[in-house]
Amino acid sequence: MPDQTNDRSALRGDCAQCFGLCCVALPFAASADFALDKPAGKPCPNLQGDHRCGIHADLRNKGFTGCTVYDCFGAGQKVSQITFGGQDWRTGSKEHARRMFDVFPVVRQLHELLWYLTEALGLDAARPVHADLRRALAETERLTRHTPEELAALDVAAHRQEVNVLLLRTSELVRASVTDGKGGKGDKGSKGKKGKGKDRRGADLIGARLSGADLRGASLRGAYLIAADLTGADLRGADMIGADLRDADLTDADLTGVFFLTQPQLNAARGSAGTRLPESLTRPVHWAAAG
C-alpha cells in the first residue's frame, strides 16, 4: 500500500475560485502558441469581467494553444482566496494588483513542487525517502501560506534545489525497481542485472524516431522530445519531469507507471485512444478530435 493517499485534488486549477491570474500576471509573445503579444500585468483581451476566458472552448482554433497546455497546479485559487483574502486585483489599488501578480508565479512554483512531492509519496519504491519527502511536503506547504511580502522575498530557486535532491533520489529508486518482464531490471536484455534504465536527462531528442522504443525505467528529465515519434513506445516507469513533449506523437504508447508527468506536458503532445496513461492524468480532448 502507498505511504499516503495520493490526493492532488487541491493541486489542480480551479478557475471559479481564481481572479484570472494566469491571464493577467504572465506575459506571452506572438508565436505558434499565442496569437498576440501581451506584457506581464496586462489582462488578456479575451479575459471577461467575471475572470473567465471568453474563448476557452475555442482556444486552439483561435491561436492560443499555449493556454491549453498551462496549469497553475492550484496556485491561482490559493493566491486569490488565501494569500490575498479574496480581494480582487480589479478592485484593489495598483500596488495590491502588482503584489498579487508578483506573488502568483512564486506560489505556482511551490504548488508544482507539492504535486511532485505528493506523487512521490504514493510510490512504493520510494519508501526509503518517504520520511524526508513528508518533511519537504510540509515545509513547501508552509511556504505557500506566507504573507505576500514574505513570498515576494522567498528564494524559491534555492527551495526547488533542495526538493530536487529528494526527487532525484525518488527517481533512482523507482526506476531501479522497473522490471523488463524477463525477471531482470532496467533496459531490455538486462536479465538478472540491477539497472535504472536509459539515462536521457536533458537529451536533444527533437524529432527523434523512437517508434516502438523500449524506454522502460528511462530518465527523460528535461529531455527535448519536441515532435518526436514515440508511437508504440514503452515508457513504463520512466521519469518525465520537465520533458518537453510539444507535438510529440504518443499514439499507442504505454505511459502506465510513468511518474512526474503533468497534465500540461500531456496536453502539449499528440496521442490516440490506444495511448495508455497513468491514472492521475486525463486523455486530452484534442486527441479524440485529431483521431
Side-chain angles (χ1 to χ4, degrees):
M1 294 295 291
D3 186 76
Q4 72 174 46
T5 302
N6 190 16
D7 181 13
R8 289 176 282 181
S9 57
L11 300 176
R12 302 178 192 273
D14 183 355
C15 296
Q17 297 299 315
C18 178
F19 297 142
L21 295 182
C22 64
C23 305
V24 188
L26 306 179
F28 49 76
S31 62
D33 294 322
F34 297 102
L36 47 80
D37 291 315
K38 187 195 80 66
K42 179 180 179 180
C44 172
N46 297 309
L47 185 65
Q48 302 180 129
D50 60 357
H51 304 298
R52 294 303 189 92
C53 175
I55 61 169
H56 187 268
D58 205 26
L59 282 166
R60 286 182 173 271
N61 292 332
K62 296 290 187 180
F64 289 87
T65 302
C67 297
T68 69
V69 298
Y70 177 82
D71 193 327
C72 71
F73 297 100
Q77 61 259 32
K78 171 72 72 65
V79 172
S80 298
Q81 303 302 329
I82 296 178
T83 311
F84 287 89
Q87 186 177 3
D88 190 341
W89 55 267
R90 280 190 168 113
T91 58
S93 66
K94 288 185 178 181
E95 177 60 20
H96 168 83
R98 185 192 63 77
R99 284 193 299 153
M100 183 176 282
F101 301 154
D102 287 345
V103 163
F104 172 64
V106 174
V107 178
R108 195 268 184 191
Q109 291 188 65
L110 294 174
H111 269 235
E112 183 178 5
L113 292 177
L114 290 175
W115 177 276
Y116 295 137
L117 289 165
T118 304
E119 179 174 2
L121 281 165
L123 300 171
D124 268 343
R127 279 188 176 277
V129 291
H130 274 190
D132 290 333
L133 288 166
R134 280 193 297 271
R135 283 190 287 270
L137 181 70
E139 173 61 13
T140 304
E141 173 61 29
R142 186 187 70 82
L143 292 175
T144 70
R145 303 279 175 168
H146 274 359
T147 65
E149 293 76 18
E150 290 171 329
L151 285 165
L154 179 66
D155 187 347
V156 71
H159 183 68
R160 285 186 71 97
Q161 183 56 40
E162 291 177 7
V163 171
N164 190 50
V165 172
L166 287 174
L167 298 181
L168 280 168
R169 180 56 181 149
T170 297
S171 178
E172 292 170 357
L173 291 167
V174 175
R175 291 186 296 107
S177 72
V178 176
T179 61
D180 63 9
K182 301 178 182 179
K185 297 183 178 181
D187 294 343
K188 192 172 182 178
S190 61
K191 185 176 179 180
K193 296 181 180 180
K194 189 173 182 179
K196 300 176 184 176
K198 302 176 180 66
D199 188 350
R200 302 289 182 87
R201 285 179 293 179
D204 183 352
L205 298 171
I206 297 174
R209 297 178 180 178
L210 297 168
S211 177
D214 181 1
L215 294 168
R216 284 171 291 179
S219 175
L220 293 165
R221 296 172 64 92
Y224 296 94
L225 288 158
I226 302 168
D229 179 5
L230 288 161
T231 57
D234 191 343
L235 291 153
R236 288 175 293 172
D239 180 352
M240 302 292 289
I241 195 167
D244 193 335
L245 292 170
R246 283 177 293 170
D247 290 324
D249 192 347
L250 296 172
T251 298
D252 296 333
D254 190 349
L255 281 74
T256 54
V258 160
F259 59 101
F260 297 154
L261 177 68
T262 66
Q263 193 66 47
Q265 286 172 286
L266 196 63
N267 290 349
R270 293 179 288 127
S272 67
T275 305
R276 282 160 284 184
L277 304 176
E279 292 182 1
S280 61
L281 302 178
T282 59
R283 197 172 307 276
V285 174
H286 68 277
W287 285 13

